[in-house]
Amino acid sequence: MKTHDVRVWMVDTTLRDGEQAPGVFFRPLEKLTIASRLAECGVDEIEVGIPAMGEFACREIESIARLNLPSMLTCWCRAVKKDIELAIGCNTPGVHISFPTSSILLKTFEKNEAWVLETLDDTVRFARHYFDQVSVGAQDATRTDMDFLLRFCREAIGLGVHRVRLADTVGMITPSALMDMIETLLIRLPGLALEFHGHNDLGMATANAVSAVDAGAKAISVTVNGLGERAGNAPLEETAMALFGIGAKKSNMRLSELARLCNTVARFSGHQIHATKPIVGSRIFSHESGIHCAGLLKDTRSYELYDPEQVGRSTPRQMILGVHSGSAAIKHALAHRNIDIDADTAQRLLPQVRAAAAAGNKPVTPKLLESIYYKAFC
């Protein structure tokens, strides 16, 4: 398959796995808003919650279902029939059933491989009577014995599941190892539809998500701003830009809605977006280096991968005047204050601008720059 023909199904789990971040709790109205923003952003599937959390969780899921959003809505369930029964009452068209598959998790939950396969059969057969889409997940798939993972996936295919989710539950896998795993599964089980769910414990969740698609995964599970347990999950905004904004994959994503979506989730979660956070950080379109600023004034593509507008950023790029600035930035900044100077004058101002920035240990403001100019030449 050619790269540009690849269609990636985006699954967002901010309202489920994202809310599992310590201290995060979304109020009912906030959940409705987040779900609506996700749909506006073009997310294909929204994992809206865990019915087993109780009656309040079921009511919230039902409220989201009543919005009739264009995105597929899915409940997350443990491999327990009672969980699935609760999900049926939530009126979502999809359900995801999660199974522990690694030896360490099976030991933790006092289960074994036979239990997994027997329960897989029982729960999927039951769920398929009530849901349009049934997906299953292999928890800790990246630490699961390959022979058992193959058997799990083969049984799932036979039961007619829509996808199998491979979860890198502790964020331990590398992109190359993940690609090997996915390619092995797809070679042995042609037609298997895989989804990847990556955690960010080693800072590789985005790279792993992109690599999963390159290896043949059909779907990616993400959260807005990477919100989630421990170091979080693969961030929706980073993965989407890497796959669709810069890469050649196809999706329903509207990248121009990313900034609004990310800011909304940051506000509701209480987790501020770091200033240098990829895609949505407040300072990622700020430049000080003289070489960079000179290049950007000629062609923004010289030192920026994409335009701020592409991801819905309303704040324009900024050229900061500091100790690393060059004469081109000074000339540009003064022009914005209706002061036109030549290159020689800008070069003569440069030492004074750098000295002022160093003395104050902060950038030189346009007003201060104008003052420095008038003192030097007027």
Side-chain angles (χ1 to χ4, degrees):
M1 180 180 290
K2 294 181 180 179
T3 302
H4 63 266
D5 292 329
V6 174
R7 169 71 167 77
V8 182
W9 184 264
M10 295 295 285
V11 183
D12 183 88
T13 182
T14 303
L15 295 176
R16 197 274 300 177
D17 208 347
E19 196 183 39
Q20 290 176 201
V24 173
F25 171 74
F26 297 122
R27 298 178 177 86
L29 184 58
E30 293 172 342
K31 289 189 175 183
L32 293 173
T33 301
I34 291 171
S36 297
R37 294 277 165 86
L38 286 167
E40 290 166 7
C41 205
V43 169
D44 297 291
E45 183 174 335
I46 304 171
E47 204 165 63
V48 286
I50 306 173
M53 289 289 291
E55 185 179 345
F56 74 95
C58 292
R59 286 199 304 268
E60 291 174 347
I61 294 170
E62 289 180 73
S63 295
I64 296 173
R66 285 195 293 270
L67 293 175
N68 294 315
L69 299 173
S71 305
M72 163 72 71
L73 301 184
T74 305
C75 288
W76 187 95
C77 295
R78 297 167 299 178
V80 177
K81 190 175 180 180
K82 179 63 177 177
D83 281 22
I84 299 169
E85 290 173 345
L86 290 171
I88 293 168
C90 293
N91 298 319
T92 63
V95 67
H96 178 81
I97 309 169
S98 185
F99 296 81
T101 57
S102 70
S103 59
I104 189 169
L105 286 192
L106 289 173
K107 183 178 180 180
T108 300
F109 295 125
E110 300 180 345
K111 305 294 184 183
N112 56 37
E113 293 178 355
W115 173 88
V116 171
L117 298 177
E118 180 181 345
T119 308
L120 174 68
D121 186 271
D122 290 342
T123 54
V124 171
R125 289 184 187 278
F126 177 68
R128 288 197 64 200
H129 287 293
Y130 299 97
F131 295 93
D132 298 332
Q133 175 178 292
V134 178
S135 61
V136 297
Q139 283 186 51
D140 208 17
T142 51
R143 293 192 296 179
T144 296
D145 175 75
M146 179 55 79
D147 287 339
F148 180 62
L149 187 60
L150 277 163
R151 189 174 178 189
F152 177 84
C153 291
R154 186 181 295 113
E155 294 292 327
I157 292 173
L159 291 166
V161 302
H162 286 75
R163 286 192 315 274
V164 174
R165 173 182 292 174
L166 303 177
D168 185 24
T169 301
V170 293
M172 53 74 64
I173 203 164
T174 63
S176 59
L178 177 63
M179 292 183 77
D180 287 344
M181 170 186 281
I182 290 174
E183 288 167 358
T184 298
L185 289 170
L186 295 179
I187 289 170
R188 297 283 296 276
L189 300 171
L192 171 64
L194 289 175
E195 171 188 335
F196 175 70
H197 174 91
H199 283 261
N200 202 37
D201 296 73
L202 296 178
M204 291 188 287
T206 299
N208 281 332
V210 174
S211 296
V213 172
D214 287 342
K218 302 294 186 184
I220 296 297
S221 173
V222 294
T223 62
V224 179
N225 298 332
L227 193 65
E229 297 171 273
R230 304 184 313 278
N233 293 31
L236 178 149
E237 63 283 358
E238 293 179 22
T239 305
M241 275 300 291
L243 289 172
F244 317 125
I246 305 305
K249 277 71 173 180
K250 291 183 177 180
S251 79
N252 288 326
M253 293 290 295
R254 289 180 282 277
L255 302 179
S256 60
E257 295 293 327
L258 286 176
R260 186 169 76 133
L261 171 64
C262 292
N263 288 331
T264 296
V265 172
R267 186 170 70 253
F268 291 163
S269 67
H271 284 221
Q272 294 184 349
I273 298 173
H274 192 278
T276 57
K277 171 78 167 63
I279 316 303
V280 290
S282 61
R283 295 184 61 187
I284 62 171
F285 290 100
S286 297
H287 307 271
E288 181 179 327
S289 165
I291 294 174
H292 284 214
C293 291
L296 288 162
L297 289 170
K298 296 176 181 177
D299 187 339
T300 57
R301 295 172 299 176
S302 60
Y303 289 103
E304 286 183 353
L305 185 58
Y306 55 91
D307 291 326
E309 295 81 6
Q310 189 176 353
V311 294
R313 296 285 298 271
S314 58
T315 304
R317 65 180 52 85
Q318 292 181 305
M319 293 192 182
I320 306 299
L321 295 175
V323 294
H324 305 103
S325 292
S327 59
I330 291 174
K331 191 173 185 292
H332 176 74
L334 285 174
H336 274 273
R337 297 184 75 82
N338 298 315
I339 301 173
D340 292 320
I341 61 174
D342 57 26
D344 180 65
T345 301
Q347 191 65 40
R348 291 165 63 189
L349 280 172
L350 187 55
Q352 297 178 62
V353 171
R354 289 177 172 173
N361 196 24
K362 60 184 179 181
V364 171
T365 65
K367 184 177 181 181
L368 177 55
L369 173 63
E370 184 176 345
S371 174
I372 292 171
Y373 167 76
Y374 281 124
K375 286 180 181 179
F377 295 102
C378 298

